[in-house]
Amino acid sequence: MEDQDLPTLVQLAAQSLLRNQALAVSALADLPGELFPLLFKEAFARRCTAVLKALVQAWPFPCLPLGALMEASDLEALQVALDGLDMLLALTDRPRRWKLQVLDLRNLHHNFWKLWAGGDADDSPTEAQMRRPKSLAEESGGDMGAKPLLEVLMDLSISQRTLDPFLSYLLLWVEKRKALVLLSCKKFKIITPHVHSAKKILEKLQLGCVEEVEVNCNWTLPSLVTFATYLGRMGNLRSLLLSHVHQASSIAPEEQEQLVLRFTSQFAQLACLQQLSIDSVCFLEGRLHQVLGCLRTPLESLSITDSRLSESDLTCLSQSPSVRQLSGLNLSGVRMTGFSPEPLRVLLESVAATVKTLDLEDCGIHDAQLTAILPALSRCSSLTTFNYLRNPMSMAALESLLVHTVRLSHLSLEMYSTPLEAYGPQGSLHQWRLNQLRDELMTTAEPLRHSRTVWFSTIPCPLPGNQVLIDEGAHLCPGCYFL
């Protein structure tokens, strides 16, 4: 056994104390607070139920990060902790050492337990690690009514029609003690088509605490509107991902308009929203102004993918104050083949000073449109990643594009489809033409003076045995790869 695996004297003392649980419980009153985390971790590993309950009641720190110690859905550990809290909450007078305010069930704070498990003397937890997470009252501006005794904090993921035993037990426990306990979460993920499963949670959750929401399931507009009544109350929401919303055939156009309006109007309440991702939704075409017009603050990233937009939507997007500070813009799968290039050109100009990641994959942009937007693209001085895959492009257009991107000193990754000249009349990919193309691109890329990777993919996707790798030349900075 190596020295680093040897238990410390404090660990040995804790293990010895746990051999007699009654003695361990009686010793807590005189135990220094610094020893609680180590003793708790040892008791948790050994499932010393009586000691764990007593440790929860006497915990000398504002936050107990229990989730970092638990396996997923560890119902037994949850029951032990909640039993200990029940004894604590039942007391009319708080114990002198009672500081616990938050039971954190998230899988975080591993460093807290590691540092307390016998590290160097200088490895004591910092003040930031010791203090509780920001309270719900602080998150919501201080207006929470009567202050609860305890906050239960967790990340939630709803994937089935019925709740798992862990979550069901916790919800029932919180519901019975709702005057004393609040349930909150930072990250809420919904991947079930059964909106009523999510509704059971949302009705018990302190919505003002939610910071990230992901809805990734096949919902119809009515289901989305049901969720929207809760979304509008998430005043601290910073990130929203909405994916796969389809239109029910039984909904009349007038009703659909009302449903869309009821949903989009909720964005006016999201004053902290920074990241918005909308993927494969049925209602955006011709209505993007309803979403953008309700946003109250500039976004940091915007992703609208695999959704139909009109040219007027793109114009609205290019003129929206909400996109002027974007660092990430993703429009992959938004078909622009018949559009005027002007809205996209204006959009690129509006984000040129800030955008770092630009994704225009599979937008159906043709050479003439590309030529029109190149001056705006060349002004995106902070761009680091540019994805232009699955857009048909000639060799001449590609060479012109590379002439413009060569000016972008921060650009480190470019992704393109192989130019059309590399294909024969029947759509077959010619190896000799790829080799010729490689040489031409290397000549174009040779003047670059910073590290850069350029990927090329065949259309529509790579085929086994049909992959060519262009090796980096020792005298060149960029690498060009065909896949």
Side-chain angles (χ1 to χ4, degrees):
M1 179 182 296
E2 298 182 3
D3 290 344
Q4 63 186 27
D5 295 324
L6 293 173
T8 64
L9 290 176
V10 178
Q11 286 174 315
L12 291 173
Q15 293 167 8
S16 176
L17 186 61
L18 290 174
R19 294 191 184 102
N20 186 332
Q21 292 198 51
L23 178 61
V25 171
S26 63
L28 293 182
D30 302 315
L31 195 69
E34 290 78 4
L35 297 181
F36 270 71
L38 189 146
L39 187 60
F40 191 101
K41 192 173 182 180
E42 290 287 342
F44 187 90
R46 296 164 178 260
R47 285 298 198 260
C48 298
T49 302
V51 178
L52 285 173
K53 291 180 181 179
L55 282 167
V56 169
Q57 297 169 52
W59 192 248
F61 308 117
C63 179
L64 173 57
L66 181 62
L69 298 181
M70 297 194 308
E71 298 291 336
S73 300
D74 190 342
L75 182 57
E76 179 185 356
L78 177 68
Q79 290 173 330
V80 170
L82 297 185
D83 285 348
L85 289 171
D86 271 333
M87 299 175 188
L88 192 62
L89 295 172
L91 299 176
T92 54
D93 296 321
R94 290 190 174 192
R96 176 178 56 87
R97 297 180 65 175
W98 183 8
K99 294 184 179 179
L100 182 61
Q101 299 175 42
V102 178
L103 176 64
D104 194 338
L105 299 179
R106 298 174 298 171
N107 189 23
L108 301 174
H109 309 294
H110 295 278
N111 198 45
F112 172 85
W113 297 106
K114 180 180 178 181
L115 291 177
W116 279 105
D120 296 336
D122 293 335
D123 283 342
S124 58
T126 65
E127 181 181 352
Q129 292 164 335
M130 297 277 288
R131 66 173 179 255
R132 60 176 173 78
K134 186 179 290 187
S135 71
L136 287 173
E138 292 164 338
E139 292 280 8
S140 57
D143 184 16
M144 290 295 300
K147 184 178 179 181
L149 295 180
L150 182 71
E151 177 182 350
V152 178
L153 179 60
M154 64 185 306
D155 291 333
L156 290 165
S157 180
I158 313 301
S159 60
Q160 299 179 9
R161 181 191 294 268
T162 57
L163 303 179
D164 62 66
F166 180 94
L167 194 50
S168 295
Y169 186 90
L170 177 62
L171 289 178
L172 183 61
W173 186 87
V174 171
E175 178 65 22
K176 290 182 178 179
R177 298 155 185 82
K178 56 186 177 183
L180 303 174
V181 179
L182 293 177
L183 177 65
S184 63
C185 91
K186 302 289 186 181
K187 300 179 181 180
F188 192 14
K189 184 175 183 179
I190 305 172
I191 50 179
T192 174
H194 307 290
V195 67
H196 294 292
S197 298
K199 188 176 178 180
K200 292 178 182 178
I201 306 290
L202 291 164
E203 289 176 347
K204 297 176 175 61
L205 198 62
Q206 299 301 311
L207 299 174
C209 187
V210 181
E211 295 182 357
E212 299 179 26
V213 168
E214 178 178 339
V215 179
N216 191 357
C217 45
N218 289 310
W219 275 0
T220 60
L221 268 174
S223 296
L224 184 62
V225 171
T226 298
F227 168 73
T229 59
Y230 302 96
L231 176 67
R233 291 154 55 192
M234 298 178 183
N236 284 286
L237 190 67
R238 288 161 174 76
S239 175
L240 173 63
L241 184 152
L242 179 65
S243 182
H244 293 89
V245 178
H246 60 90
Q247 181 176 344
S249 57
S250 59
I251 298 179
E254 297 80 7
E255 182 182 359
Q256 178 175 311
E257 289 294 332
Q258 290 299 316
L259 291 173
V260 172
L261 183 60
R262 287 171 61 187
F263 171 71
T264 57
S265 64
Q266 302 304 316
F267 281 85
Q269 311 302 319
L270 307 180
C272 297
L273 191 64
Q274 299 171 350
Q275 301 174 355
L276 177 60
S277 299
I278 302 176
D279 173 67
S280 300
V281 300
C282 66
F283 59 83
L284 272 188
E285 187 175 15
R287 302 188 182 95
L288 188 58
H289 65 282
Q290 293 181 220
V291 175
L292 299 176
C294 290
L295 294 177
R296 295 172 54 185
T297 55
L299 296 172
E300 291 182 3
S301 70
L302 174 65
S303 176
I304 301 176
T305 58
D306 294 325
S307 301
R308 293 184 61 178
L309 293 183
S310 65
E311 188 171 326
S312 63
D313 289 324
L314 200 59
T315 299
C316 175
L317 180 60
S318 69
Q319 298 173 350
S320 173
S322 300
V323 304
R324 300 298 168 82
Q325 299 177 26
L326 288 180
S327 63
L329 175 62
N330 184 355
L331 296 176
S332 63
V334 175
R335 305 294 293 178
M336 306 180 194
T337 303
F339 292 3
S340 162
E342 186 65 11
L344 183 57
R345 183 192 66 79
V346 174
L347 176 59
L348 292 179
E349 287 184 346
S350 68
V351 302
T354 58
V355 69
K356 295 181 179 180
T357 302
L358 177 61
D359 194 332
L360 297 177
E361 180 175 349
D362 193 27
C363 290
I365 299 174
H366 52 71
D367 282 3
Q369 292 171 308
L370 176 62
T371 300
I373 67 172
L374 283 181
L377 179 63
S378 66
R379 286 196 283 271
C380 296
S381 56
S382 299
L383 195 64
T384 62
T385 302
F386 179 41
N387 181 1
Y388 196 70
L389 286 168
R390 298 169 65 194
N391 289 292
M393 183 167 45
S394 67
M395 184 64 191
L398 174 60
E399 290 176 341
S400 180
L401 175 57
L402 291 175
V403 167
H404 283 76
T405 59
V406 73
R407 307 170 188 171
L408 303 176
S409 60
H410 295 287
L411 187 58
S412 59
L413 176 60
E414 302 170 69
M415 294 172 279
Y416 307 112
S417 291
T418 304
L420 298 174
E421 288 89 338
Y423 298 89
Q426 306 302 319
S428 59
L429 192 63
H430 292 319
Q431 182 67 47
W432 66 270
R433 190 64 185 95
L434 276 180
N435 293 337
Q436 183 182 28
L437 179 60
R438 173 197 60 192
D439 296 338
E440 294 172 356
L441 291 174
M442 281 298 203
T443 300
T444 302
E446 189 170 2
L448 297 179
R449 291 295 180 265
H450 64 278
S451 179
R452 178 170 298 187
T453 300
V454 184
W455 288 93
F456 289 87
S457 174
T458 58
I459 300 174
C461 60
L463 299 175
N466 192 28
Q467 298 184 353
V468 178
L469 172 65
I470 298 182
D471 296 325
E472 282 192 58
H475 63 290
L476 296 179
C477 294
C480 296
Y481 300 90
F482 283 84
L483 291 180

